[in-house]
Amino acid sequence: MIPLSYDLHIHSCLSPCGDDDMTPANLVGMAAVKGLQVIALTDHNSCRNCPAAVYHGNQYGVTVIPGMELTTEEEVHVICLFPDLHQALAFDELVYSRLMPVPNREDIFGKQQIMNEKDEVTGTLEYLLINATSISFDEVFPLAASYGGVAYPAHVDKNSTSLLSNLGFVPPDSTFTCAEFHDFRNLHRIRRDHPYFENCSVICCSDAHYLPDIHEPDYQIYARSQNIPDILEALQSRTEESR
């Protein structure tokens, strides 16, 4: 097992709340400059900028996991990560078909820019990506798994759009084995109040919408290799992260 510095929750300029400077090339380049070995691109309800990010990851020697931050019908954010682009983009099509069909207003919410490997804008998405889908919290985990993916609740310690803020509890039939924290200082409190997390692997990620917010190499995950399948396997096992 080898330690890998990571940040598995990063938004690009495809997310309407993401800064325009968060192009695939820029965010992967920043991750490389900071010394991260593994990142995940997790735009709101979309994987459309993952191909360009994976391309730049190959150039910089950074493993880029294609993913998304899915919004369930309860407005709980769940991170979904996939072993390759084919499965991620197939999942993307399904999610977009189940997204609330409300047109984006760029003047209010921001741009939703799809970019190619040259950081050129090749298109936009019509529907507002930060809206909820018709996918329930219980449904998202087997659904992601059916596409070869791994899913876990995002920023469980935040006071909005998280499992605990929106539902107030962990559903008794939950099956997720990993959970993301925004700040590990909240770990003891969350585990005290919600013992389910005692049996979860936990990670800490930035939820970066701006380049400076991407994490420094402060946290590591231990995996067999830097290959995506081994990293996804490690996320599903009980391993403590170190700072």
Side-chain angles (χ1 to χ4, degrees):
M1 305 292 277
I2 59 174
L4 300 170
S5 298
Y6 69 88
D7 189 347
L8 303 182
H9 189 163
I10 299 174
H11 292 267
S12 79
C13 55
L14 177 56
S15 293
C17 44
D19 188 66
D20 286 349
D21 286 339
M22 292 291 278
T23 66
N26 283 349
L27 68 87
V28 177
M30 179 61 78
V33 167
K34 291 194 171 191
L36 296 177
Q37 295 160 288
V38 181
I39 65 171
L41 179 54
T42 54
D43 282 308
H44 290 290
N45 293 320
S46 183
C47 299
R48 302 290 183 93
N49 270 351
C50 290
V54 169
Y55 169 83
H56 289 290
N58 291 333
Q59 307 308 304
Y60 283 106
V62 176
T63 298
V64 177
I65 304 176
M68 74 165 60
E69 183 177 22
L70 183 145
T71 306
T72 71
E73 64 183 4
E74 303 93 346
E75 298 194 0
V76 174
H77 288 185
V78 177
I79 298 297
C80 303
L81 304 180
F82 299 92
D84 59 47
L85 285 169
H86 175 75
Q87 289 164 303
L89 293 173
F91 188 75
D92 171 279
E93 284 191 34
L94 172 69
V95 171
Y96 195 72
S97 73
R98 297 183 63 175
L99 179 66
M100 190 181 300
V102 176
N104 180 36
R105 287 276 307 274
E106 287 189 356
D107 57 323
I108 298 175
F109 300 107
K111 299 175 183 178
Q112 299 183 155
Q113 301 178 103
I114 302 171
M115 309 199 84
N116 64 16
E117 297 167 356
K118 298 180 180 179
D119 264 7
E120 299 168 332
V121 178
T122 59
T124 60
L125 289 178
E126 176 185 3
Y127 297 150
L128 179 62
L129 292 174
I130 58 174
N131 273 330
T133 66
S134 62
I135 300 170
S136 71
F137 181 79
D138 290 338
E139 182 185 4
V140 65
F141 300 97
L143 188 60
S146 72
Y147 286 80
V150 171
Y152 49 86
H155 44 63
V156 296
D157 53 331
K158 279 193 171 182
N159 59 11
S160 65
T161 63
S162 73
L163 169 62
L164 299 180
S165 69
N166 285 32
L167 297 187
F169 64 98
V170 179
D173 55 350
S174 292
T175 59
F176 63 86
T177 58
C178 180
E180 178 198 278
F181 282 71
H182 184 68
D183 188 338
F184 263 164
R185 288 176 294 183
N186 297 318
L187 178 59
H188 177 73
R189 173 179 59 82
I190 295 294
R191 281 183 163 170
R192 180 197 65 205
D193 296 342
H194 303 276
Y196 184 96
F197 294 101
E198 290 282 357
N199 297 313
C200 285
S201 172
V202 292
I203 58 174
C204 185
C205 300
S206 69
D207 190 11
H209 291 70
Y210 297 86
L211 289 171
D213 294 336
I214 294 173
H215 270 181
E216 302 291 335
D218 293 330
Y219 302 100
Q220 295 80 40
I221 186 169
Y222 289 82
R224 296 180 186 276
S225 76
Q226 202 170 332
N227 296 324
I228 294 176
D230 287 335
I231 297 166
L232 297 186
E233 180 184 10
L235 287 173
Q236 297 178 87
S237 64
R238 181 171 165 76
T239 55
E240 297 296 337
E241 311 312 317
S242 59
R243 184 164 190 171

